[in-house]
Amino acid sequence: MTGKKVTVNYKVTRRGRQRILLALSSVLLLMFASTAYAAFFDTAGQTARPMGMGEVFLAQKGQSYWYNPASLANVENRCVDLSYGVLNPDVSSDLMKYQLSYVCAKGFAFGISGLGADGANEMVFSGAYGRQIGDRFALGGNVKVMRWAIEGQEDLYNGGTDDDLSKVAFSLDLSASYALGDMFGLADFTTGLYVKDAIMPNISESGEDDGKLPVEVGIGLMGERSGVTGELDVAFVNGETIFRGGAESGVAGSNLKVRGGVLYGSDFEDDTERTDFTFGVGYLFNSLVFDYAYNLPLELKESGGRHFVSFGVSF
């Protein structure tokens, strides 16, 4: 009797292997959509402008507040921004991300961001605030309600459907920026710090410790001069060091901006190295702004890269 069970299970597994992999593909793509990181919620909340600059965080201003809520302290106008991204289209046409944000003129912002594939999705509801302290220093915080869900897949053995899975967790991001001013003769430079998922939210449905998101800490230096913005960042997360760099320049005689950047990540535990190149353009027309960014991960260049577009309006 035992021998029959083993033989039947083995045959079914081999016949259904392809369909099982297809059923799980959306979940795996959702988990590993970002080549620079390997956790849920890591691609949620970025707009096309900083994406085109290597995902540097100090350049995330106003509607791009997700990793730099301190920047909200200097927002003078209300603005609405809608972003959409297609991730690795040559691997899966279903994998996409989106973001809708509203920024007030008093340092407050609210938004919803998400990442989804067929049968799986994650969402982040966000409320942020930034405050200026003195002439040079700004602090900010971003409170997040995070939810992921996976629809039950068809059971290939009995024709039923597996249980749906989901989890809701709360998190907090913090950031600070400091305008160096004339202290070191660097009037056009700003330095900053961010702490992402500072309270290490547990996204495991079972609540086990391995479901905690790691704290990510990053520092950066941004300079702006003669219409050119450049930034260099270094971040530390889960035993990994990530370097980011990017630049943006206006095109003389037009409202067009061009951008470029690079991400380099090295896991010192297994010496895995990852490199992404990013490119982008932006166009400002009165109070309307359009941005586009393309991210090419060299290790997964056959995936088709990642495309992002953002539309914003200030009023």
Side-chain angles (χ1 to χ4, degrees), residues 116-173:
D118 184 21
N121 67 83
E122 64 180 38
M123 300 181 75
V124 179
F125 299 91
S126 172
Y129 177 69
R131 182 178 179 84
Q132 191 75 29
I133 302 175
D135 295 332
R136 299 188 179 96
F137 190 60
L139 285 174
N142 184 19
V143 179
K144 303 182 295 186
V145 180
M146 309 187 302
R147 180 183 185 272
W148 64 263
I150 299 174
E151 296 180 5
Q153 301 293 330
E154 181 181 351
D155 192 323
L156 301 178
Y157 299 101
N158 58 26
T161 303
D162 296 334
D163 293 337
D164 294 346
L165 300 175
S166 66
K167 178 64 183 289
V168 175
F170 298 86
S171 189
L172 175 66
D173 299 338

Side-chain angles (χ1 to χ4, degrees), residues 56-112:
V56 291
F57 82 97
L58 283 169
Q60 299 193 26
K61 301 178 180 180
Q63 62 266 39
S64 305
Y65 68 86
W66 295 80
Y67 288 104
N68 187 21
S71 69
L72 294 170
N74 300 312
V75 173
E76 298 179 354
N77 300 315
R78 293 174 293 174
C79 57
V80 176
D81 183 270
L82 175 64
S83 299
Y84 181 82
V86 177
L87 312 181
N88 306 326
D90 292 348
V91 177
S92 172
S93 59
D94 297 322
L95 191 59
M96 49 76 70
K97 74 177 291 284
Y98 61 88
Q99 174 184 298
L100 176 64
S101 62
Y102 170 67
V103 178
C104 307
K106 296 183 179 181
F108 289 95
F110 306 92
I112 177 174

Side-chain angles (χ1 to χ4, degrees), residues 281-301:
V281 295
Y283 189 83
L284 177 65
F285 181 77
N286 294 328
S287 61
L288 303 177
V289 61
F290 166 79
D291 293 304
Y292 168 79
Y294 176 67
N295 177 295
L296 177 64
L298 293 187
E299 288 75 17
L300 293 174
K301 55 186 177 182

